[in-house]
Amino acid sequence: MKNRQFVLASRPAGKIKESDLQLRTVDRPSAGPGEVLIHNEYFSLDPSMKGLMEGRTDYRAPAAIGDVMTCRTVGTVVESNNADYPAGAQVFGFLGMRDFSVTDGKSIPIYHYHDPVDPPAALGVLGGTGMTAYFGLTDVGRPVPGDVLVVSAAAGATGSVAGQIGKILGCRVIGIAGSAEKCRVLQEKLGFDAAINYKTEDVEAALQRLCPAGINIYFDNVGGSILNLCLARLALHARVVLCGGISHYNLETKPAGPDNYFNLVFRRANMQGFLLSDYLHQADEARTQLRAWLESGELVQLSTIINGFESLPEALVKLFDGFNTGKMMVRNEEL
Ligand SMILES: NC(=O)c1ccc[n+]([C@@H]2O[C@H](COP(=O)([O-])OP(=O)(O)OC[C@H]3O[C@@H](n4cnc5c(N)ncnc54)[C@H](OP(=O)(O)O)[C@@H]3O)[C@@H](O)[C@H]2O)c1
């Protein structure tokens, strides 16, 4: 039996092209002593993959040309020589863009869902983006009931969870997203108080209208002009959570810094970046809380699932075009 893989063929310059990833087919591996063979069933597409492909992240090892492209997956153990991960176990980890992966649980760390979950939730609300939203909002944003929380890329994987957690914790939540349909989902399905379509509305005027007393927490997924406009509307002692800056990931030269940054001084506000990797020792706490909210229905998993392993490059390109609502993933058709 074969093992399809996508390898890094070229480093993207500007936008990712599908041809930056190349399909390669090799023989299916077997589990050696102490190892397990995992069939990857769902694959996560994440904006950070672009930095890895470009070879310019300084917080994780970049991908080398010819390497199997790293990505988070959820799958099932199909052969086991390791009692910690018996055949049939549901596992999650950075197992890469391939049908089958081999690990001893340490060479590629995996998380074993002893009580299996819906695979899209394992990659979304309970996966990397859900935990990013959880730690970014609770630890960096530090919400208190009544806070006005503004979230950008709000209909995406991280933003949709950050906004929902904000609602659970008593905030008034305003989402910024790139289509009328996304704005409708935020309000009607996720219970956001208001939504702004940044592609068709005057964001500055909308923030003025919706946050007359200012923004207490801005959860920033995009950077650029939206960050700058939010900085201008901060309330006293506001917290700006720097999670990501997707608006400039495709630019070849860095944009100018936000010229409203000095409002941090006038508002005695705090702007702080964070990485999920700083919080991995607390992952169980996040998973337990997120799962409880998911099971109680307080938190909704949103996913955009593209079918077919060979759609992985197309799905990655579409992530940057705003195609997704919620977590962008690919389902392996060979289930
Ligand atoms: N700090 C961390 O540890 C950490 C961890 C995970 C993710 N992140 C960051 O969090 C952000 C969201 O990641 P995600 O995985 O949840 O992706 P996502 O939000 O599910 O998908 C990306 C979304 O970004 C929006 N977007 C694309 N280009 C844009 C632009 N020029 N301006 C504004 N919005 C744009 C699109 O939605 P629209 O239709 O709304 O444009 C798209 O759907 C990214 O910046 C990512 O790097 C950080």
Side-chain angles (χ1 to χ4, degrees), residues 45-48 59 72 128-129 132 152-159 176-179 182 198-199 219-223 226 242-250 273-277 318-328:
L45 287 312
D46 293 86
S48 58
Y59 62 96
R72 292 185 179 97
T129 46
T132 297
S152 54
T158 308
I176 304 178
S179 74
K182 289 186 182 188
Y198 74 92
K199 290 191 178 160
F219 193 103
D220 184 32
N221 285 313
V222 304
I226 293 177
L242 293 183
C243 178
I246 196 166
S247 73
H248 49 81
Y249 293 170
N250 281 338
F274 76 101
L275 285 174
L276 172 63
S277 50
K318 285 183 162 172
L319 176 72
F320 287 87
D321 291 340
F323 179 81
N324 61 308
T325 299
K327 180 72 212 148
M328 181 68 139

Side-chain angles (χ1 to χ4, degrees), residues 95-154:
L95 293 160
M97 289 187 176
R98 49 189 150 208
D99 286 315
F100 295 95
S101 306
V102 171
T103 178
D104 59 4
K106 294 187 189 75
S107 56
I108 308 174
I110 47 177
Y111 177 79
H112 176 186
Y113 277 101
H114 291 275
D115 188 5
V117 292
D118 189 28
L123 282 186
V125 167
L126 305 174
T129 46
M131 287 198 271
T132 297
Y134 177 85
F135 290 117
L137 188 66
T138 59
D139 193 56
V140 185
R142 301 185 307 281
V144 291
D147 273 351
V148 172
L149 164 66
V150 174
V151 182
S152 54

Side-chain angles (χ1 to χ4, degrees), residues 28 247 271:
R28 190 182 105 156
S247 73
M271 177 151 103

